[in-house]
Amino acid sequence: MKYFPVFIDAEHTNCLIVGAGEVAARKLELVLKTPAKITVVAPWVSDTVAKLSRLENVTLHEREFVEDDLNGKTLVFVATDKQSINQHIHDMAHSKGILVNVVDNTPLCKFITPSIVDRSPIIIAMSSGGVAPVLLRYIRQKLETVLPHKISLLGDFSERFRDKVKTALSSVTDRRYFWEDVLDGDIGENVLQGQQTKAELQLDIALQKYQNGDKPAGQVYLVGAGPGDPDLLTFRALRLMQKADVVVYDRLVSPDILELVRRDAEKIYVGKAKSNHTIPQEEINELLAKLALEGNRVVRLKGGDPFIFGRGGEEIQTLIEHGVDFQVVPGITAATGAASYAGIPLTHRDHAQSVTFTTGHLRDNSIDLNWRALAQPSQTLVFYMGLTGLPIICRELIAHGLAPSTEIALVENATRANQKVLTGTLENILKNSLTKDIKPPTLIIVGGVVSLHKQLNWFTAQEA
C-alpha cells in the first residue's frame, strides 16, 4: 500500500482550506460532515463557499494566504488555480509536519481523501491512490446498493452496548463471538426493523447466557479454497474465512486467497511437498481437534475440494472421535479448474463420455493403479500429483492399450495469472525440452479432449 488508511479524530482537528472556488467547496462540504473546525482563506469566494461559511464551525478570511494561517492546523487542503501558490503552501505545510492535500495533484498530496460510503457511525473509505477514480466510483455505487441504509442502526446499537459487553466478557474472543451472534441473528434483525426495545431485552438475555458459560463450542470448517483464483471461492467459504480464529492451510492455497482470511486470525501452515511433509497427516487431524476443543472456530483451508484427494474424510473421522462439531464447504476441484481455464472440456460428445480422477503419486518409485481400466478409449483421465511419475504414466497407459498418439496436457498453477499449459502426446511429451520447466502444482489431463485446447482456450495465460 502506497497510502496507509487511517481515520482521524475530526472532533480535535483544525482544518485549513486555501481557495474558495467550486473545487474548494467540494472539500468544504466533505469536511463539514465532521465536527472539525474549518478555516477558509481566499481573496475571492464562490457562492457555494459563501453560503457554507455562515455555519458555526467555519471561519472565512477573504484575503491572500499568509504563513500564519498554518498555525495550529492539522489538515490542509489547497485548491487554488495557481500552481506556484499550491507548491509554496505544500512546501511550508510539509516543513511544519502538517498533512497537506493539493487537490487534483497527487504528487503534492501527503494524504488523499477516499471515496466514502457513509452510514454513520459505519464509514467505508476506499482509495485507488489517485490512479483509477472512475473504477472507484463504480465500486462505491456497488457498495451503496448492497449495504442497507439502516445498517447505521446496528452501529448505534453496538456503540450503546459496547462498554456493557466489554465489562461482562473479559475475553476478546468471547466478545467477538457474542457480537457475531448478535449481529447475525434475531437481535440484529430486530434492530434493523426498528424494534429497539425488543432487541435490548434479547441482548441482556444473551449476555447473561454467555456469562454463565452457555456459549457456542469450538467448531471446524473444512473449506475448499479452489484451484487458486480467489474469484472462484464460494460465498460461504469467504464468510467462514472471515469468522475464523485459526486457519490451518496447505501448500496449494494461493497467497491471494490467504489475503482474504481475517487479519487477526492465527495462521498455521501444514503444507506437504514431495518428500517433505511439514506435519504428518495424523498430527494435522489431532491439531484440528485440539484447536476446536480449546473453543476456537477453525478453518481447515484446502486447495481444491476437501473430499477430492484432500484427505477431508480422514480429518472428519478424527473430529468425530473427539466429539468436535464440523461443517464441509465444497470447493472447485483442481481438475475442473485446470480443465476450464485451459479450454479442455473433460467430457465431449465427440471425444469422451466419461472422466476419471486419479492420483499419480509415487510410492516406492512406482504408481499402483488399475492401468487396464484407465487405458480405455473415449474417456478423459486426470492425474493429481503425477508430475514426478509422468514417465510411468505415459509408459503404462501405452503398455495397456492407449495409442502413443493419445494427447496429453500438463497444466501448471491452474486458474492463476501464471498458469502454464503444455500439450503433446503420450509418446512425445517427455521429449519436449519444455517439460522439464513444468513445476508442481500441475494437473495431467489425458484423452482426445486435449485436442480442443488450442480452439477453446479462452484464458490469457502462458503457453509452455
Side-chain angles (χ1 to χ4, degrees):
M1 294 185 296
K2 182 179 179 182
Y3 293 93
F4 184 73
V6 295
F7 287 86
I8 296 173
D9 179 4
E11 196 166 5
H12 301 93
T13 294
N14 289 316
C15 177
L16 172 65
I17 299 176
V18 182
E22 290 305 317
V23 173
R26 292 199 297 270
K27 297 303 178 186
L28 178 57
E29 289 171 338
L30 183 64
V31 182
L32 277 171
K33 292 177 179 288
T34 76
K37 293 182 176 62
I38 307 167
T39 301
V40 180
V41 175
W44 173 86
V45 180
S46 68
D47 292 342
T48 305
V49 172
K51 181 179 179 181
L52 294 174
S53 67
R54 301 183 192 122
L55 297 173
E56 182 179 353
N57 57 331
V58 180
T59 300
L60 174 63
H61 299 298
E62 294 188 54
R63 57 167 172 76
E64 297 288 350
F65 165 85
V66 296
E67 186 173 353
D68 285 349
D69 289 327
L70 294 173
N71 293 341
K73 303 301 187 295
T74 49
L75 281 181
V76 177
F77 289 97
V78 187
T80 81
D81 57 2
K82 297 180 180 178
Q83 176 59 26
S84 59
I85 292 177
N86 293 346
Q87 181 74 57
H88 176 63
I89 298 173
H90 165 272
D91 293 345
M92 283 194 296
H94 182 50
S95 68
K96 295 176 180 290
I98 301 171
L99 290 173
V100 58
N101 176 295
V102 177
V103 180
D104 294 332
N105 192 337
T106 304
L108 295 185
C109 292
K110 295 301 178 285
F111 75 96
I112 54 179
T113 53
S115 180
I116 294 171
V117 177
D118 187 357
R119 300 286 192 276
S120 295
I122 305 302
I123 304 293
I124 299 175
M126 300 166 290
S127 170
S128 67
V131 300
V134 176
L135 174 60
L136 203 59
R137 193 178 306 122
Y138 171 79
I139 295 172
R140 177 187 170 187
Q141 289 171 351
K142 290 291 185 183
L143 285 174
E144 291 279 13
T145 61
V146 171
L147 288 176
H149 284 276
K150 290 184 179 180
I151 201 168
S152 60
L153 297 177
L154 286 176
D156 291 333
F157 186 82
S158 300
E159 180 184 20
R160 198 158 67 250
F161 288 95
R162 182 174 183 270
D163 290 340
K164 183 174 184 177
V165 173
K166 189 173 183 179
T167 300
L169 304 175
S170 59
S171 165
V172 173
T173 300
D174 284 350
R175 291 200 295 271
R176 184 167 62 80
Y177 280 13
F178 176 78
W179 279 117
E180 286 177 351
D181 289 343
V182 166
L183 298 176
D184 285 343
D186 292 340
I187 300 175
E189 186 62 29
N190 283 327
V191 172
L192 289 174
Q193 297 302 320
Q195 304 290 327
Q196 295 289 327
T197 302
K198 183 177 182 179
E200 291 173 12
L201 290 173
Q202 289 175 317
L203 183 137
D204 286 335
I205 294 171
L207 188 57
Q208 186 64 49
K209 288 182 177 180
Y210 259 77
Q211 285 181 286
N212 294 336
D214 184 10
K215 55 189 178 184
Q219 192 171 31
V220 175
Y221 310 105
L222 273 70
V223 174
D229 183 349
D231 284 346
L232 298 180
L233 282 170
T234 65
F235 288 129
R236 188 171 172 218
L238 184 58
R239 179 170 59 83
L240 293 176
M241 287 162 60
Q242 287 289 317
K243 291 178 66 172
D245 302 304
V246 185
V247 176
V248 180
Y249 67 100
D250 63 33
R251 184 175 61 93
L252 299 179
V253 176
S254 70
D256 289 340
I257 288 175
L258 277 178
E259 278 292 314
L260 300 176
V261 169
R262 209 183 86 232
R263 293 284 179 201
D264 56 343
E266 180 183 358
K267 301 176 186 67
I268 301 176
Y269 176 69
V270 293
K272 300 181 181 67
K274 177 189 172 185
S275 303
N276 180 21
H277 290 200
T278 303
I279 301 179
Q281 183 61 47
E282 292 74 16
E283 291 186 24
I284 295 174
N285 302 346
E286 293 295 332
L287 173 65
L288 296 175
K290 174 179 176 292
L291 291 168
L293 290 171
E294 291 172 352
N296 294 294
R297 292 171 177 170
V298 183
V299 163
R300 173 65 169 111
L301 198 56
K302 295 172 172 288
D305 181 275
F307 278 6
I308 300 181
F309 302 116
R311 294 189 145 177
E314 298 174 37
E315 293 172 352
I316 285 178
Q317 287 174 320
T318 300
L319 296 176
I320 292 172
E321 291 171 6
H322 287 277
V324 173
D325 196 14
F326 64 87
Q327 297 180 28
V328 181
V329 181
I332 294 176
T333 186
T336 55
S340 297
Y341 275 57
I344 302 174
L346 292 177
T347 61
H348 189 282
R349 185 166 54 179
D350 298 330
H351 297 277
Q353 286 72 55
S354 64
V355 58
T356 297
F357 298 166
T358 187
T359 175
H361 183 63
L362 280 176
R363 178 174 294 181
D364 298 327
N365 294 316
S366 65
I367 305 175
D368 185 17
L369 295 172
N370 185 347
W371 293 107
R372 189 172 301 281
L374 293 176
Q376 297 296 318
S378 300
Q379 77 168 338
T380 303
L381 303 176
V382 181
F383 290 88
Y384 288 69
M385 300 167 285
L387 189 57
T388 303
L390 181 60
I392 298 174
I393 291 171
C394 293
R395 185 189 70 213
E396 293 296 328
L397 289 177
I398 292 173
H400 286 81
L402 280 189
S405 59
T406 302
E407 293 179 88
I408 182 172
L410 310 181
V411 186
E412 175 188 328
N413 287 318
T415 77
R416 306 185 194 185
N418 59 344
Q419 173 180 294
K420 289 183 182 179
V421 181
L422 178 65
T423 60
T425 66
L426 292 177
E427 65 179 344
N428 70 20
I429 190 70
L430 294 170
K431 298 173 186 176
N432 190 329
S433 61
L434 297 176
T435 300
K436 68 179 184 303
D437 297 326
I438 300 294
K439 308 296 182 194
T442 292
L443 267 287
I444 300 171
I445 304 175
V446 179
V449 291
V450 175
S451 65
L452 299 170
H453 162 66
K454 289 193 179 339
Q455 178 187 359
L456 304 183
N457 185 29
W458 60 271
F459 180 62
T460 304
Q462 306 173 51
E463 290 289 331

